[in-house]
Every structure is written in C-alpha cells, then in structure tokens.
Amino acid sequence: MKDINEVIKDYVDFNKNTPEKMRELKKSTGKKMIGWTCNFVPTELIMAAGMVPVRILSRPYSITLAETSLQSFACNVSRSYLDQLLKGQLDYLDGVVTPKVCDPLQCAHDIQQRHDCCSYSHFVQMPAELESAPSKVWWENDVMLFKKSLEDFSGNEITERDMKQAISVSNTTRRLLRQLYQLRKESSPPLYGYQVLQVVLAGMIAPTEEYNQKLEKLLKDLSEVQKIPESKVRLMVIGSTIDFTEMELLEEFEKTEGVFVTDDMCTGSRWIHREVETSKDPFAAILDRYHYAGFCAAKYPGGIRFENIKKLAKDYKVQGAVVILEKFCDPFGFATPDTEKMLKESGIPALMIESAEVGALGQARTRAQGFFEMIKGV
Amino acid sequence: MVEETKAGIDFLIESRRVTEGATKINYLKRSKEISGEYMAQYYQEAWEAKRSGKTKVCWVTVPFPSSLMYTFDIHVFEPELDGVFAGFMGEAVKWQLHAENKGYSRDLCSYARVNLGRIFAGAGEAEGAMPPPDFLVTARMNCTTYIHWWEMLSRHFNIPLFILDGPFCDRPRHEPIAKHHEEYWIKRSYDLIAFLEEQTGQKFDRDRYMENIGYEREARVLWDEIGKYSQRVPSPVNEFDLLFPMMPICWWRGKKLAVDVYKEVKAELQERVDKGITALVKEERHRLMLVSNPPWFRLEMLPQWLAEVDSVFVVSMINRMFVDYADVGEGNFEDTLRGFYRQYINLDIEERIKWGEELIRDWKCDAMALMDNRGCKPIAFPIPEMAMELEKRLKIPCLRFEGNMNDPRDFNDQKVRAQFETFIELLEQR
C-alpha cells in the first residue's frame, strides 16, 4: 500500500518551491517563460512559439507593494498577481498575458505594464458576449494579434506543426487529469480534493511533457493507495480561481467528514473538460476551444454553467456543494445567488463561504460541521 | 406626481443646506430643478404607457447608443440613474439591504444593489420605481458588471437581452481603433437595430435617427459649453450644481428635450456671468477637480465643506465624460456609430492621466481630489496610479479619500470633512 502523501510529494514540493523549480527549469531548457492569468489565454500558442506557459496563481501571504497601486477592494487574484510581479517573485517570467475578462485583472495588467515588470506584456482583447457571429470574428482577429506578438517576441514562427504538437501536449494533460477525476467518482476515491488541487495547480504552472509522464505514473500509483472511507460526505466545490490561498479551507472540510469529489472552478474541471479538436485546422480549433462561455461566469451567457454543475453533481453523486466566493469578485458575486438557488431547486444542500473567511479556519470548521449535520439529517 | 417629485427634491436640497458653507455658495436655481421636473414627467408617462400597453420599456446601461434607441417608440430607463436618484434622496441603503438579503454581496456595484433591491422589494410606481422592462440592452464599456447585472435581470424577468460589447480602447484616445474592433461594433449596431425592430414591431427609420443624431450633437456642444463656464476665474458655478442637469446628456441625448434643457441651463449660466455672480459669495481661493463619481448622497454637503474654506470644485471627470459619450462624429450613418467607445471609462490608465492633465490645465485647478470609490471598480482601480502620476507631472497636490458613490455606509463624513479641511490648510501654505 502506498502513502498518498508520498505519491503526490513531487507536486506538493513543486508548488511549495515554484520559483526555484521554475528557475531550474528555465536554466535546463533555455526556454522563455510566459505567465498567464486566466483560462481564456490560448496557452497552446505560447507552447507553439517554443516558450513555456506558466499559470500565475495567488499565494497566501501578505500583499504589500500592490497596496500602493491597487486598492484593497480589488480581488486577491488581481492583487496577488500584481504584488508578485512588483516584488520580483516571478522574475523567471519573461512576459505575461492577460485576456479581457474582468476589471481588476485588466487594471492589474495595465499597472504592471506601467512598472515595466516584464519585457513582454500582452492584453488579449476578448468579447464578453460569446454567442454572436461578429464576436467570433473579433476573437479570431485578436488571437491572431496575440500569435503575431508571440512570434515577434520569441523570434520563432508558429507553424501548423508547432500548434499540433502543442495541442497534443495540452490535450494529453487534460485527458489524463480527466482520468484522475474519473477515479473520484468511485465510492471510495483515492485522494482528497485538496490533494487533487495540488496536482492540477502543478500542471497549470508548468504543463510540460514531463508533467504528463508523471501524471501517467500517478494514475497507476493511485490504484495502490489507501482509499478514502465511503462514509465521508461527498462534496463539490464551486468557485472561480481556487488556488493556494483556499487550499487550507478545502483541507479543513476534508479533515473532518467531507471529501471533495468534483468541482466547478477555473483551477479544476473548467480547465480540463474541453479539449482542442484535432480534426480541424489547429488555429481554428484553438479559437473554437477558447471561444466558450462555459469556462466562466465572467462571460455571457454565464448561466450555461448551471447545467454543467447539475450534471457534475449527478455524475459524481454529490451530497453537498461548497460555494467559495472570491471576495470582491463581481462576475461570481452576481452569479452566486442564482447558483445557490439552482442548487436548492436541484435538491443539493449548499454552503456559501466568502474567501475573506478563509483565514478564520476555526469558523470554517464550525460551519463545515453544521453543514455535514444538515446533509446527514442529524 | 410631477409636482410631488419637484417639491420633494426642492425640500431635500433646502434641508441639506445646514453648514456655514451653504451661506457661502451662490447656488444655481432653475438648472437644478429642470431635469427633475422632466424626469418625473417621463416616469409618469412611461407608467401610463406601460399600463395601456402603448409603448414598451427598455432598461439600458448608461453608455448606450441613445439616438438609435430613441428612433423607436420606447421608453428608455437607466437603472444606474435610478440608483443615483435613490442615493440623492437618501434611500439607497433601504433598497440595497433587500438585495443583500437575497445574497448579493455588499461589494458589488452600489447602483446595481439599489436596482436589484427595488425589484426584490416589489417597488412600484408609488415608490418612485421605474416601470419593469420588456427587454434589455447593454453596451459594455469596460465595465464587466454590466454584463452580469443585465444577464441576471434577463433571467429574473425572463425577457430578451442584447449585448453591444465594447472593445477596450487600447491606444491613445484620438487614434483610430483596430479595424476589426470597429467592424465588430458596426455589425453589432446593425444587429441591435434588427433586435429593436423585432422587439417593437417598428421598422428602423434612418431619417428619424439622423434627426436624433442632430439633437445629440447639439446637446453635446451645449453640454461642453456649459461645463466650460467654470474655466473662468472665479468660476460662475459650483461643479456639483452642474451634476443636477447632467441627467439629459446621460439619459436623453438624442432627444430634443436635452437640447431644450441645456439652452435653459446655458442661459442661466450666461446670466450669472453677465451679472458677475460667482460660485462662491466671497473669494475663491482654491479650485479643485474631482476624479470619480461623487458621493451622490453628499451632493449638497461636499461643496459646503469646501466652501467653508473658500474652495470650490470647478470640474469633474463624470461631467466631462459625457462630452465623450455623446461624440457621434460629424459624418454619415456609420460614422455616427464609430466614436462611441472612446469614453473615459474605456481608457487605459495613461490616457486617463492625460485627460486629467488637460482638465486640470484648462480649468486652472490648483488641486485635485480622487475618491477611492468602492461602488464602482472600473472608475476606482486606476485612481492610485493616476494620483501619483498627476501629482508628479503637474506638481499639484492631490487628496485621495475613501468612499462609495452610492452607499453611505462606506463614507465617513467626519473623516472626509477633516481630510478636506487639512488638505486645504496645506494648500494655503504652498
């Protein structure tokens, strides 16, 4: 029997020591690294340009330098992004990319550009409404501009072959992670939600062929770990960019009676559930994959997530949902009441937690206990 | 209803003149009343039309292609403006609590919370609410809240929604935008026309549209001239008084009504200039620019605090913003659709700074005040960088203060008043 903590040790270690690991990776590969801030960035193009796409995630420490440039009522995601850049903690990055998705992230991007944080900085203009034919044309043109800017910066022309290769790598990552998610459908899943998050976040930070190989090994190893008891309450987590800042919260739920078996979040199922089609022209396929509102409440129509949430809850036999609202997040702030209403109407008990409460883990523990009692009908 | 509304506004304005500063201001008279009167009339007509089924009601966001909308026989309402009005009347929190009780966070747009709260509370004509919409239109101008708020409304009322999405102005504001962005905007404008035809059963009348464009151009010129009166030293008008007649350029540009109102406002200002009436009774020692929406619930108080120390706001970002909103160009039909997106809220930080520089120079300000507005993130977020950079470039001091444009719970009167007093003292020592 293998110890799950040993099995995922490399992922945890990588996440804990990301700057050092990335600097090593940069040195060993000689490749430029481009940070990305949101799932709408077509990272396949970054790979196709011969560079490494690196997801920028928030970290659970005090934000200081960003305070002077972005108010406290901007969300933690945008402030942490800016703070890390201003402090030079992401000095292994050669550039950053942000799509037009929400106000604070856009402003944070603008500010870091004003402070010359990176030698390459690109803002991918993206429509908010994704149903109309003209929005597809807009998207195509702006992704073309993004592609050109990557070519100019990297000095490499992005060929069809490069894109196909990049698509193969990223599709493999998504497919393998979906296999991991399939294991969570079992009545006794092999790992907890916070552990899955460690694995997924590591993949977002540096999705490479090496990561995919490790993931294949992980899937095999998981057949040999001690399974989580069936008696645990099966939960799903719903939110936006749930990352290192909220990890302790997930762990708090899972230390007691719960296990997160699935999710609807940017750093989970929404990142992996759609692949890039390989039967089409690769550029067109990339456009198509990313021109999809279901990734996020920030796009219109945001409500199409609801059917997906209901399906996930059914497929994973979810008994309750924990909705984590990122404080000061407007897209999810508007979506949350209707999300809770939808869950209630679907017969799924829901608990709403604002991310500002994450620091107060004692309170979270108490709320979790009350939630479990409600689910179990005690 | 019209007379009641007018009386209510007049009473409220008078009752808020409570400090020594109030005695130091020469207030506008007719200009502050006129918009409220027309507003009350518009609400009354719209409710009557709704009851009779005569015309449809559309709710729009503030940046909307007004001349185009008014080409159709619809009553157009702006929930943001309704929120402003509730804020001014001291009722914002009353409605916001209803929204918060339904799970809408207090961190969300303070206009949206008033609107949602009114809906959840079942506010109707008696409560001064807007008539419910038959369809919705939003033109996102770098405010993602618009999309989510309008989608939520569409779900709630189960009515059609049209989104006229706005590409971000990622270049200097006087440069042409990317061709594909312009093409998107034009195509979607035609889609909007088709949508309005479907919703109203009317055909689009291009001649009527161009007539409306004529009114919009004229209203814009008048509004621009009105704002420029306060470039004079001393200013004939306190800027906050001009925020009352801002309603027509915000809501009715494209209607002859806006032109008629502004002719009256301009006439009052010209009369003041001819008679030598200035904003402050005594001397004007300091002239300030305000960046951000004002705290609408303190529209009377903030100028009084400044007047107590012989200072006055002479220009505000929100006033001048509407000169751009109404920029419909001088050319043909498609030209009128083009310039719309180059608005303050859709500019990057550097362009906002440049615009601020122009305003400070042209209005001869010796200081500026910027509110960290919790109620509106796209307006607020660039403010720290703007403050630092404007101070550096122009060597004039700036005051940053915390607040919320429409939620008094985020506004500390004593603190803000003391901040302004100290700030003016520092200005005196320069």
Side-chain angles (χ1 to χ4, degrees):
Chain A
M1 196 68 74
K2 289 186 177 171
D3 179 354
I4 183 62
N5 291 311
E6 278 301 310
V7 167
I8 63 167
K9 183 170 167 293
D10 284 351
Y11 300 96
V12 176
D13 187 49
F14 179 82
N15 290 334
K16 201 172 156 195
N17 301 297
T18 304
E20 292 83 357
K21 299 284 182 189
M22 295 308 288
R23 288 178 196 120
E24 278 167 24
L25 184 69
K26 187 167 181 163
K27 208 170 165 184
S28 64
T29 60
K31 286 185 176 181
K32 287 184 174 153
M33 297 186 164
I34 305 295
W36 54 283
T37 52
C38 166
N39 286 1
F40 284 105
V41 173
T43 50
E44 285 83 356
L45 291 178
I46 299 174
M47 282 194 263
M51 299 188 281
V52 179
V54 182
R55 180 69 150 106
I56 301 173
L57 297 161
S58 60
R59 299 280 173 168
Y61 60 74
S62 293
I63 288 169
T64 49
L65 287 190
E67 283 285 341
T68 54
S69 294
L70 197 54
Q71 298 96 330
S72 59
F73 50 88
C75 70
N76 188 61
V77 171
S78 55
R79 292 172 78 228
S80 178
Y81 156 71
L82 181 61
D83 200 61
Q84 289 177 73
L85 282 171
L86 291 174
K87 282 176 175 159
Q89 287 169 348
L90 303 175
D91 58 359
Y92 49 88
L93 293 179
D94 297 279
V96 289
V97 183
T98 295
K100 181 167 173 58
V101 69
C102 68
D103 304 323
L105 209 51
Q106 178 176 318
C107 195
H109 181 86
D110 195 347
I111 294 169
Q112 64 80 26
Q113 208 160 3
R114 292 176 60 76
H115 289 262
D116 293 319
C117 289
C118 296
S119 44
Y120 170 83
S121 178
H122 192 89
F123 183 66
V124 187
Q125 291 254 29
M126 189 182 183
E129 61 90 6
L130 298 180
E131 285 189 320
S132 74
S135 79
K136 289 190 168 79
V137 176
W138 167 356
W139 178 233
E140 181 180 348
N141 277 281
D142 270 293
V143 175
M144 192 64 85
L145 285 173
F146 175 46
K147 178 173 172 277
K148 174 90 180 38
S149 80
L150 290 170
E151 286 173 332
D152 290 345
F153 181 66
S154 65
N156 300 323
E157 188 199 344
I158 295 174
T159 63
E160 216 176 85
R161 186 163 168 260
D162 295 326
M163 283 189 279
K164 282 182 175 172
Q165 204 164 338
I167 288 168
S168 172
V169 171
S170 65
N171 276 356
T172 302
T173 305
R174 293 184 183 108
R175 180 173 44 80
L176 290 171
L177 285 173
R178 285 202 308 277
Q179 285 178 20
L180 174 63
Y181 269 59
Q182 284 294 316
L183 296 177
R184 300 166 81 190
K185 283 182 175 173
E186 292 167 8
S187 54
S188 293
L191 67 181
Y192 285 101
Y194 79 91
Q195 292 165 334
V196 171
L197 189 58
Q198 290 278 11
V199 174
V200 172
L201 292 181
M204 291 186 112
I205 294 170
T208 61
E209 280 152 340
E210 188 192 324
Y211 173 80
N212 288 344
Q213 285 164 11
K214 281 199 154 116
L215 205 44
E216 281 175 356
K217 183 175 183 309
L218 171 70
L219 288 169
K220 289 194 181 99
D221 288 344
L222 287 177
S223 63
E224 297 176 55
V225 302
Q226 175 108 34
K227 303 287 197 265
I228 292 161
E230 261 188 59
S231 56
K232 288 260 188 175
V233 176
R234 298 173 69 85
L235 303 169
M236 76 182 294
V237 57
I238 297 172
S240 53
T241 312
I242 310 287
D243 55 22
F244 300 110
T245 315
E246 291 88 9
M247 201 173 280
E248 273 190 324
L249 176 69
L250 299 189
E251 211 179 327
E252 205 55 48
F253 273 82
E254 295 182 302
K255 264 187 212 168
T256 52
E257 299 182 58
V259 56
F260 287 104
V261 293
T262 191
D263 61 70
D264 172 61
M265 57 192 197
C266 303
T267 41
S269 73
R270 287 207 296 270
W271 183 50
I272 61 176
H273 77 107
R274 255 188 136 215
E275 290 188 17
V276 179
E277 270 185 71
T278 50
S279 57
K280 287 163 109 154
D281 162 73
F283 186 71
I286 288 171
L287 287 178
D288 189 52
R289 193 256 171 201
Y290 286 92
H291 187 264
Y292 174 63
F295 290 153
C296 191
K299 295 297 175 187
Y300 176 83
I304 70 174
R305 281 173 52 238
F306 294 159
E307 285 310 308
N308 190 46
I309 291 172
K310 281 193 259 189
K311 186 173 186 308
L312 283 170
K314 188 180 170 198
D315 291 348
Y316 286 80
K317 298 186 179 55
V318 159
Q319 293 168 276
V322 178
V323 182
I324 299 180
L325 174 61
E326 175 77 37
K327 189 143 174 80
F328 305 120
C329 176
D330 289 342
F332 282 85
F334 276 96
T336 294
D338 278 352
T339 306
E340 288 184 285
K341 187 177 164 208
M342 175 272 298
L343 289 167
K344 191 173 172 187
E345 286 167 359
S346 307
I348 302 167
L351 176 69
M352 211 277 278
I353 293 185
E354 213 174 41
S355 64
E357 300 172 56
V358 168
L361 288 174
Q363 278 182 32
R365 199 177 302 133
T366 308
R367 294 190 69 195
Q369 278 166 0
F371 188 49
F372 293 135
E373 283 169 17
M374 183 183 80
I375 290 172
K376 285 151 77 168
V378 170
Chain B
M1 184 187 170
V2 176
E3 285 308 314
E4 279 168 18
T5 307
K6 182 176 172 324
I9 295 171
D10 288 346
F11 173 75
L12 205 59
I13 290 172
E14 283 301 320
S15 68
R16 286 173 176 175
R17 292 184 188 168
V18 294
T19 70
E20 187 208 338
T23 61
K24 288 181 157 190
I25 299 174
N26 286 320
Y27 288 99
L28 284 182
K29 298 216 179 333
R30 182 68 188 136
S31 299
K32 288 178 82 166
E33 299 165 345
I34 187 173
S35 301
E37 287 171 15
Y38 282 116
M39 186 191 82
Q41 207 173 315
Y42 193 83
Y43 269 64
Q44 190 171 311
E45 281 167 10
W47 272 104
E48 282 165 8
K50 183 82 183 174
R51 276 191 289 272
S52 67
K54 212 169 109 189
T55 57
K56 295 212 171 161
V57 170
C58 177
W59 286 6
V60 299
T61 44
V62 162
F64 76 104
S66 51
S67 290
L68 204 151
M69 302 285 297
Y70 289 126
T71 307
F72 296 86
D73 293 328
I74 48 180
H75 278 95
V76 173
F77 282 90
E78 293 175 341
E80 288 157 270
L81 209 53
D82 187 62
V84 164
F85 192 61
F88 172 73
M89 298 296 277
E91 292 185 350
V93 177
K94 169 177 147 186
W95 300 115
Q96 286 162 351
L97 287 171
H98 284 282
E100 289 153 34
N101 285 342
K102 289 284 188 183
Y104 289 89
S105 166
R106 219 182 105 180
D107 302 321
L108 296 174
C109 167
S110 44
Y111 294 147
R113 284 182 284 125
V114 170
N115 175 237
L116 297 179
R118 287 233 218 227
I119 293 168
F120 296 138
E125 191 177 2
E127 289 81 24
M130 301 173 293
D134 297 292
F135 57 94
L136 302 157
V137 172
T138 176
R140 176 182 72 152
M141 277 298 143
N142 205 31
C143 170
T144 51
T145 286
Y146 284 152
I147 304 288
H148 319 308
W149 178 7
W150 253 242
E151 181 176 359
M152 182 269 154
L153 290 175
S154 172
R155 265 201 301 269
H156 177 84
F157 288 110
N158 195 24
I159 54 177
L161 162 64
F162 187 92
I163 297 177
L164 182 55
D165 206 345
F168 180 58
C169 186
D170 58 2
R171 56 199 61 201
R173 62 194 249 258
H174 300 298
E175 278 183 20
I177 63 168
K179 198 155 182 359
H180 65 278
H181 289 158
E182 191 178 276
E183 280 169 3
Y184 169 86
W185 183 258
I186 302 284
K187 283 202 174 92
R188 284 299 279 168
S189 297
Y190 280 109
D191 287 346
L192 173 58
I193 290 171
F195 174 80
L196 292 170
E197 285 181 333
E198 191 189 337
Q199 296 307 313
T200 61
Q202 279 180 268
K203 290 303 286 174
F204 176 65
D205 182 340
R206 198 175 270 226
D207 290 337
R208 187 174 169 185
Y209 170 71
M210 291 309 287
E211 189 187 358
N212 292 346
I213 283 289
Y215 293 137
E216 190 164 350
R217 284 190 184 123
E218 201 178 344
R220 176 179 185 253
V221 167
L222 284 165
W223 184 243
D224 189 24
E225 289 170 355
I226 285 165
K228 283 176 174 168
Y229 270 90
S230 46
Q231 287 181 344
R232 291 167 168 79
V233 180
S235 170
V237 63
N238 145 38
E239 173 67 8
F240 274 40
D241 271 5
L242 283 183
L243 297 182
F244 284 78
M246 204 173 66
M247 205 185 300
I249 198 77
C250 179
W251 190 4
W252 301 318
R253 56 184 188 277
K255 288 171 86 72
K256 188 172 175 297
L257 174 58
V259 174
D260 293 343
V261 168
Y262 285 148
K263 283 179 176 170
E264 280 205 54
V265 172
K266 188 180 168 185
E268 183 176 359
L269 287 170
Q270 189 56 48
E271 190 187 349
R272 286 166 74 98
V273 167
D274 294 342
K275 289 180 175 173
I277 298 171
T278 52
L280 297 181
V281 172
K282 291 191 179 163
E283 64 175 324
E284 176 190 276
R285 292 184 64 77
H286 301 287
R287 299 164 61 87
L288 284 81
M289 174 175 84
L290 176 70
V291 178
S292 177
N293 320 48
W296 296 108
F297 46 89
R298 288 291 175 265
L299 212 52
E300 290 292 327
M301 297 306 295
L302 211 46
Q304 289 179 43
W305 298 338
L306 273 184
E308 280 176 347
V309 284
D310 302 319
S311 304
V312 66
F313 280 113
V314 294
V315 66
S316 66
M317 170 277 296
I318 193 165
N319 178 327
R320 301 309 295 170
M321 198 163 81
F322 283 101
V323 176
D324 274 2
Y325 271 53
D327 183 0
V328 290
E330 296 298 326
N332 61 21
F333 176 70
E334 286 200 355
D335 288 338
T336 66
L337 300 173
R338 279 198 177 91
F340 185 67
Y341 89 114
R342 240 182 244 107
Q343 304 163 15
Y344 177 83
I345 195 174
N346 205 28
L347 300 176
D348 68 14
I349 296 174
E350 182 58 30
E351 286 302 303
R352 294 192 197 196
I353 290 169
K354 284 181 186 158
W355 194 16
E357 280 184 274
E358 285 170 20
L359 294 183
I360 287 168
R361 287 201 178 103
D362 293 346
W363 269 260
K364 305 171 194 71
C365 301
D366 59 333
M368 58 187 147
L370 303 91
M371 184 169 80
D372 283 309
N373 181 359
R374 283 178 170 261
C376 180
K377 296 180 178 104
I379 298 253
F381 287 151
I383 274 175
E385 289 281 310
M386 285 180 72
M388 287 190 284
E389 201 55 32
L390 282 168
E391 227 175 10
K392 194 165 111 184
R393 290 185 200 182
L394 297 176
K395 309 278 187 283
I396 68 166
C398 93
L399 168 69
R400 270 176 68 190
F401 63 101
E402 290 184 359
N404 191 311
M405 62 194 179
N406 217 35
D407 192 337
R409 293 172 290 178
D410 291 329
F411 192 90
N412 185 321
D413 280 357
Q414 281 80 17
K415 183 178 171 188
V416 173
R417 189 175 183 177
Q419 279 180 288
F420 271 97
E421 280 173 4
T422 309
F423 182 62
I424 299 296
E425 275 172 34
L426 288 171
L427 276 180
E428 289 284 294
Q429 286 165 26
R430 277 166 67 91

